[in-house]
Amino acid sequence: MFKPLSQLRMTWQPQDWEHASTVQIRLLPASSGKTTISFHQEKLEDAFRREEMKHRWEQVIANLEERI
C-alpha cells in the first residue's frame, strides 16, 4: 500500500531471516507544523526481534535527523 506523502506499507525480509515481516511507515502532521514519522512492524518472531527492530528504526530516525 502506498499513499503519497503519508503512508508506505510493505513486506520486508532481511537475507538472514526465515520469514518476512510487514513494515508500515507513516508521516503524521503535528500541530506545531512539524511531521512525526511512525514505524510499525508486524509478524516479528519474538521479543528479541521486536527489540532489535525498535533499535533499528530509532537509528533510522537519528540518521534522518542528522541529515536534515
Side-chain angles (χ1 to χ4, degrees):
M1 173 192 300
F2 175 70
K3 293 181 183 177
L5 304 176
S6 68
Q7 183 178 5
L8 174 63
R9 183 178 174 94
M10 63 187 174
T11 301
W12 182 62
Q13 182 176 358
Q15 290 181 350
D16 60 334
W17 287 17
E18 291 184 28
H19 303 285
S21 70
T22 302
V23 177
Q24 178 172 260
I25 304 167
R26 297 179 64 203
L27 303 177
L28 307 167
S31 60
S32 63
K34 297 182 179 182
T35 300
T36 298
I37 301 173
S38 168
F39 290 89
H40 179 76
Q41 193 163 3
E42 303 169 355
K43 301 178 185 174
L44 296 171
E45 59 189 83
D46 56 26
F48 173 79
R49 189 69 78 195
R50 284 190 297 276
E51 188 63 29
E52 179 183 46
M53 291 298 97
K54 178 181 181 281
H55 178 71
R56 176 189 179 87
W57 298 122
E58 287 170 349
Q59 285 299 117
V60 167
I61 294 293
N63 290 341
L64 284 172
E65 288 176 340
E66 288 176 12
R67 292 174 185 240
I68 293 178

